[in-house]
Amino acid sequence: MNPTLPPVAPSVTAELVAALTPRLRKRLDAGVAKVAGRPRERDGDVVRIAVDDDTDLELHAPSGVVTSAEAIRCGCLLAPDCLHRAAAASAAPVADPEQPSPSTTSDRDPAQAPAPTPPQAQTQAQAPAKTPRQPSAQTPAPTPNTGPDPDMTPGGTTPDDTTVGPDQRAAALALHDAAAAVLEAGTDGAGAVLQAELLRAAHTARLAKLPRAASRAVAVVTALRAARDADPAHRLADLTAALRDVLLLAHRIPDATGPELAELCGTARQPYTPDGSLRLYGLFTEPVLTATGYAGAVTWTADATGRLYTVSDVAPGGAGRAGAAADRAVRVGDTSLTHRELSRAGLAVSGATVSATGRLGAGAGVRAVRASGADWHGDPLDRLWAVPPARQVSRALAGDRDLLFLDVTLLGTVREAAGECLVADCGGLTLRFTAAHDDPVLPHRENLRLLASAPGARLRVVARLTPAPLPRAQLLAVSHPTDRATRLDLGVDRLRRADLPAASATALPHASQAGPTVDEAPVHLLRRRVHQAVAGGRRVLALPGDRGPDAARLRGHGLVTAGELLTELHAAAADRARDPFGRLLPSDSGRFARAWLAAAVLTEELDRILCAAAWGADPADPADPADPADPADPTDSADPAQAARPTGPAPPTDSPTDSPPPHPGPRVSGAKIHGSLPDPPAEPRERPR
């Protein structure tokens, strides 16, 4: 994927690849590599690639996106049936048709970037779905999903008797087959042809009104291209989560009805509803940098009751735009405030329109003027830090916002496989903080390193929860180490050594003193195989070897279901029958996909349970906003319709100490999806002790 090329619609890439002859399809990956390495120049809305000395390839994107096959033109003798057009489409970023244009002036928020991440993203019940609610003066609005991959959430109401139509069933089947083929081939084998098949299935799903599944399929292709291009931003966990989501949605949609079907289908855009007048106080600004070529900034604000709102400015661009977006004017009303200024000031809005996830609209009827801000340690923002960390984590794991407001004391650093992370104490709980972005243009990593050289500093921080067996979060903003009335946005502001306390400016604790060692449940034995299947394909798990000890170790820690799924995963990978002449028959990709999906969903659920245990939270009992026992917590809320986060906790799947309960409902990118997993293998009657 080459970010210098304009995004190409999925249907265009699928159409061009499908038109190739079998001989040209075999040469497509080599053609993609050649086109990606050729010089190019931009002339207005046209990007021109010099294929050779006599041939030019042009991509016409008048609206910033290539929307038709005719917009890709080649000057070679074989055009329009040449390899160059399909190679250029396969080398360009994948466009999301639901992404609004940066010039949009309606209430559609440009921060709804197409899928990753979100970083953020992310990853991710048999309880009934809760009815979406609009924000009100008494109901705290949920935190918006600012990561790169906000899954769609249902908007409006759907009759309970809604059933899957024939086109939706066919689209789900096509998605399942295309995703299973990608899983079987692995990252190295999923070339441009398999990617085009998945893009075609995504386009079919979008036409069948399955935007959520289509968006996740596009995220799979984007992550595949990043992996094959050795992009430093590639994360195997993100690719695994996106592929799991596609297979899970394709598995559940054919059998879903009523509200469950509406939840699984999603909607293309979130509606914005009038919310009257608002008095907002700036919290912090964070840069947004997605793997799909979008960048910008999002400023978080809160009202006097603790409801969170965001003002976004996200558009096509790279790390440079993400670093400079904080100094751009906010796009709400006629105010001249920049995002950096708004994070420390306030905003008075009249005629406000707000999405279900708390994004402020920028319609023509919205008026906004600058107002005074508030300190983190005073009213009304202080109440955000008054909520106990365990309750905040319970709320996040239940599908509510994933921001954490914590008071910590810095301890130093601890070295991990991925590098050093900052360690802090939060009321006796040892936390590990990591950088939200590793791009050198953004100051996250540098600021984290300087904070580590100030052990003993007491800070008030804002972080984003990272599900892990140890308490872990991404550090987003902190109070100043020497001036508590000042705050630093770690993705925007650069901390200097002169800002640190003089007594500890050069003190650095030994890594062994900064973090405790814990006896973790061996979930990594199953997670490693899940990731290996995505990276290397089916053949990696089919290699001969003794896998019995791993399954036995899982059972020995009480993870009986995990041990059975690991055994089934290896058996499905090695299941290759032969015909009477000894020739290998086609493999059963369906069985392998079902076994991998069950293992992937169980791994995610175990990670959620272990994360809750590490924070001392209860994942099955999220904070109740109506609970009078905690009047100091004004921010608890049943999530009305957060993107990709349907409500409802899931019962534990497996715990390190107890035998497994009935199989739970799976989760998608942090969301619960009602229904069951693919049927797990039958457990033995006598479980090993």
Side-chain angles (χ1 to χ4, degrees):
M1 181 179 67
N2 196 316
T4 62
L5 297 177
V8 179
S11 58
V12 174
T13 304
E15 178 183 349
L16 292 176
V17 174
L20 296 177
T21 63
R23 180 179 64 87
L24 291 180
R25 287 192 181 190
K26 295 179 181 179
R27 299 167 49 190
L28 181 56
D29 289 331
V32 172
K34 178 182 178 180
V35 168
R38 298 300 298 171
R40 60 186 59 85
E41 62 179 9
R42 179 181 291 273
D43 182 12
D45 296 330
V46 179
V47 175
R48 189 172 292 105
I49 304 173
V51 178
D52 52 42
D53 295 339
D54 302 323
T55 305
D56 286 341
L57 183 66
E58 295 182 350
L59 286 79
H60 295 256
S63 61
V65 176
V66 178
T67 57
S68 66
E70 292 74 18
I72 302 180
R73 306 166 189 173
C74 184
C76 71
L77 296 177
L78 297 179
D81 299 326
C82 62
L83 178 68
H84 303 137
R85 300 172 68 219
S90 300
V94 183
D96 189 343
E98 302 302 336
Q99 175 66 22
S101 171
S103 61
T104 299
T105 59
S106 68
D107 285 343
R108 294 172 181 173
D109 195 313
Q112 281 185 270
T117 113
Q120 221 94 79
Q122 186 98 112
T123 39
Q124 317 186 280
Q126 295 177 3
K130 297 182 181 179
T131 304
R133 300 182 300 174
Q134 301 298 337
S136 64
Q138 293 77 24
T139 303
T143 298
N145 183 0
T146 61
D149 182 29
D151 287 336
M152 317 302 181
T153 55
T157 58
T158 302
D160 292 344
D161 58 350
T162 301
T163 57
V164 179
D167 54 342
Q168 292 179 323
R169 192 181 302 275
L173 179 60
L175 271 177
H176 183 277
D177 292 344
V182 168
L183 176 63
E184 181 141 345
T187 300
D188 294 337
V193 175
L194 287 181
Q195 295 171 22
E197 292 298 326
L198 187 54
L199 290 177
R200 177 182 292 278
H203 180 63
T204 303
R206 197 174 297 276
L207 294 179
K209 299 182 180 180
L210 301 176
R212 184 176 183 178
S215 178
R216 296 307 287 161
V218 170
V220 171
V221 175
T222 300
L224 277 174
R225 293 181 178 179
R228 293 174 62 85
D229 294 342
D231 189 341
H234 167 66
R235 296 292 182 269
L236 181 58
D238 295 338
L239 173 57
T240 302
L243 189 58
R244 180 196 65 229
D245 293 353
V246 174
L247 287 172
L248 187 54
L249 288 167
H251 172 77
R252 287 299 309 145
I253 286 174
D255 299 324
T257 58
E260 179 188 3
L261 177 60
E263 181 179 317
L264 295 174
C265 293
T267 58
R269 300 188 189 277
Q270 297 181 11
Y272 283 71
T273 57
D275 202 21
S277 299
L278 299 174
R279 176 63 170 90
L280 305 178
Y281 303 87
L283 277 171
F284 70 98
T285 296
E286 65 169 322
V288 175
L289 183 60
T290 75
T292 52
Y294 287 83
V298 172
T299 298
W300 294 74
T301 63
D303 66 5
T305 64
R307 295 169 56 191
L308 295 184
Y309 299 83
T310 56
V311 180
S312 308
D313 180 10
V314 179
R321 190 183 193 281
D327 295 318
R328 296 169 60 94
V330 298
R331 302 170 61 182
V332 177
D334 300 326
T335 179
S336 60
L337 278 173
T338 65
H339 285 270
R340 189 192 303 269
E341 293 171 340
L342 177 58
S343 66
R344 291 156 176 81
L347 202 64
V349 186
S350 62
T353 56
V354 184
S355 74
T357 58
R359 289 191 178 101
L360 288 176
V366 179
R367 298 289 183 268
V369 296
R370 179 172 185 161
S372 60
D375 186 78
W376 280 4
H377 294 81
D379 288 335
L381 299 183
D382 180 68
R383 62 180 62 196
L384 295 172
W385 279 265
V387 185
R391 290 179 65 86
Q392 297 187 48
V393 173
S394 295
R395 182 173 53 206
L397 293 176
D400 206 332
R401 65 164 185 261
D402 54 1
L403 288 186
L404 303 179
F405 301 88
L406 308 171
D407 289 300
V408 302
T409 301
L410 301 185
L411 300 179
T413 59
V414 62
R415 185 174 297 278
E416 297 181 337
E420 291 187 346
C421 61
L422 179 64
V423 181
D425 176 79
C426 179
L429 187 66
T430 302
L431 312 182
R432 302 190 181 196
F433 291 120
T434 59
H437 288 284
D438 290 327
D439 195 291
V441 175
L442 303 177
H444 284 284
R445 180 64 62 182
E446 180 182 348
N447 288 335
L448 211 66
R449 188 179 300 112
L450 285 175
L451 287 174
S453 62
R458 298 179 61 85
L459 302 177
R460 178 159 278 191
V461 306
V462 181
R464 177 169 287 115
L465 176 66
T466 302
L470 293 174
R472 182 185 301 273
Q474 296 176 349
L475 200 57
L476 302 176
V478 301
S479 59
H480 197 281
T482 57
D483 183 8
R484 64 180 246 164
T486 305
R487 51 204 189 226
L488 300 169
D489 302 335
L490 297 186
V492 175
D493 305 317
R494 291 190 179 272
L495 186 66
R496 303 182 185 278
R497 189 163 293 276
D499 297 325
L500 303 178
S504 59
T506 59
L508 185 65
H510 192 272
S512 62
Q513 302 174 359
T517 58
V518 296
D519 182 17
E520 300 182 24
V523 184
H524 65 277
L525 297 176
L526 184 61
R527 184 189 303 108
R528 180 176 57 191
R529 301 305 181 191
V530 169
H531 288 182
Q532 283 180 346
V534 175
R538 176 191 190 127
R539 60 186 180 278
V540 173
L541 299 186
L543 295 175
D546 186 10
R547 271 68 176 213
D550 287 347
R553 184 179 175 188
L554 288 169
R555 296 188 187 99
H557 280 76
L559 304 176
V560 180
T561 304
E564 296 300 325
L565 289 179
L566 180 59
T567 301
E568 170 63 15
L569 182 60
H570 284 297
D575 183 16
R576 292 295 300 274
R578 295 180 180 270
D579 64 10
F581 298 98
R583 295 171 297 190
L584 284 174
L585 296 174
S587 59
D588 184 3
S589 60
R591 179 190 175 188
F592 179 67
R594 288 191 300 271
W596 180 88
L597 176 58
V601 174
L602 180 63
T603 300
E604 185 200 18
E605 187 66 17
L606 288 175
D607 286 341
R608 190 181 76 92
I609 294 173
L610 293 176
C611 174
W615 287 85
D618 186 357
D621 186 20
D624 185 1
D627 186 1
D630 189 8
D633 184 0
T635 59
D636 283 334
S637 143
D639 188 351
Q642 185 173 358
R645 294 184 178 183
T647 54
T653 305
D654 239 343
S655 68
T657 56
D658 300 326
S659 58
H663 219 60
R667 306 168 68 226
V668 169
S669 293
K672 302 295 181 188
I673 288 189
H674 314 296
S676 60
L677 288 169
D679 294 334
E683 297 185 0
R685 293 185 178 181
E686 295 184 2
R687 297 179 179 174
R689 298 183 178 274

